[in-house]
Each structure stands twice: as structure tokens, then as C-alpha cells.
Amino acid sequence: MGLQIENLSKQYGKTPVLKNINLHLKKGEIVGFLGPNGAGKTTLMKILTGSLNRWEGRVFFDELNLKTQLQDVQKHVGYLPENNPLYTEMYVKEYLYFIAKTYRLSNVNYPELLQKTGLTDHQNKPIKTLSKGYKQRVGFAAALIHNPPFLILDEPTTGLDPNQLIEIRKLIKTLGQEKTVFLSTHILQEVEALCDRVIILHQGQIVLDSPLKDLADQKQQIVKVTFDFRVETEALKRLPQVSRVVNTHDFDYEIYFDTPNDQRPVVFDFAHDNGLKILSLQHKIENLEKRFYALTQGK
Ligand code: ADP
């Protein structure tokens, strides 16, 4: 059960773009699909959603065969394409009615759909007047309209500002509690923030498939923090288990801790005790970054 991909290959003309992909996504997993531009991510996503044919191999969504039961598969899969194409002249609710009509869906629970995607207060607005983050929510609502158990998201946060990014990640995380989510991105932090598992594609081949927790450095972590004011690096160095502090930019610091336990609360307390505000706080998994570049460098 879940999504099963077996020996999937695809060529554009004579050029191989996907080479013998084998993957199994379990139910309820959020899987991050990383790779440099041109690796083949979009091609795979298009195949999985039935918008590309002429490929080799076998794909099953639960027991449904993508090649022979495409229409049934599409009832089980929601797809948010890259760049989220929308009819922006339409009103939010009108657009969702339109999508439902296109899919011949008669029993859509609109209040629930709007609530889930945070659009309740925006349903009567023209899409073109919405911010990029809210336009993205409309794309999510369209992808979720038939309440599919599988969700395929192609670079769902590209172009969002930091606040919108946080909101959309929250939405994906919530959706991931009840759905199998396969999301492509070229942002390592996205995977770190959202995913249970990471897959790296490079030149059409899977070069890494690993639970995220296995990639975490067992000994060291880096907390990246931006304060609203300059801080003495010596003061940060006095925090427990700190081995190194780098002031990377004005008020930006990288703090290296010799412990695998999340030290963000320690930094938070430090800021509080010193009357500082935290403008951003990240927990960096050094190994994912290292592995990604090692596996895809210079290509
Ligand atoms: P990614 O999403 O990882 O950036 P793509 O799947 O978009 O990668 O592209 C993989 C490769 O296939 C690239 O080299 C791209 O140029 C090529 N490609 C994509 N679409 C087509 C197409 N319609 N015809 C020919 N080549 C294509």
C-alpha cells in the first residue's frame, strides 16, 4: 500500500531523463524530493499525475495501476503543479466550483475545504487580488477538492515571502497528518522543516533515499539565529556545549553545539534573558547539505 514505483524510466526523444527509478512511499509519509535543476523532478511528478505518458515501468497508488487505471488514480491524487496555474479573473469560490465541475464532483464539502486551506475569509475575493501565499492556498484547495489520499506538490513554496512560507509549510505539515505527501523542492531547509524522509535525484537517478533523522549529525548541530541587535560572540560561546560561534552577517550568527539535542530553546532563552528579539531561528542539519552537494556537485 502507498505509492509504489518500479523500474520507471523516461526518455525525451533519445535523451534519458529518468533512469530506472524504484521507490516506495508509505501511507502518511511526507517525502521531500530534492535535486538540482534539470534532475528530472518535474518529469517524475508529471508522470505520477498522469500528465505525461510514454514511459516505462510500473506505478501503483495503493492497488491502482497508473497505466491501466488512470482515471481511478486521478481520483486518489491531488496535484499542485509548479507555478500553480489559476484563472485569476475568477473569485475563489467560483474557481473551486469550476474545478469541481470539471472533475464532475457533486459532493464537495466547501466549508471544510476552505477552512482547511485557510480561505474561509477570502472565498468571495477575486483570485487576482490575493497575495502569492493566498493564491497558493487556492492551488492547494483545488488539489484537495476531491479529498485525495495522495498529494503531489511541485515546488509548493517557490516565490513566497518568509511569512507566507511559514504559513504554507504549516498547511503542508497539517495535510501530511492524514495524507501521503510527495513534494519536490530545491530548498534543503524545506525538507528539514517538513519531511520525514528525503530522496535526492541527480541526472535522472536516485542517489539518496533516507529518513531525515538518519541524516542528522549525531554529534553536532548548528543553530542559525538572527537577533535584532549585535551580540558579543563570547557571550554566545558561554552557552553550554557551544564549540564555535560565527557572526555570518550583521546580526546573523551560526552557533555550533556539540550535542544532537535541539538547542533552539537555549538560544531562545538567551535572547529573552538579554532583552533581544529573535528575527529568525533555524536548526541546521549539516549532513543533508553536505550529502546533497557531495552527491550532486559540479553537475
Ligand atoms: P527538474 O524538475 O528536476 O528541474 P525536469 O523534469 O524539468 O527537471 O527536466 C529534466 C530534464 O528533461 C532536463 O534536462 C530538461 O531540459 C528535460 N526536459 C524537460 N521537459 C522536456 C520536454 N518536454 N522535452 C524535452 N526535454 C525536456
Side-chain angles (χ1 to χ4, degrees), residues 12-13 17 35-44 46 82 154-155 201:
Y12 282 121
V17 178
N37 278 336
K41 302 182 296 295
T42 299
T43 303
L44 179 58
K46 283 188 179 163
E82 200 181 0
D154 198 353
E155 307 220 346
L201 191 72

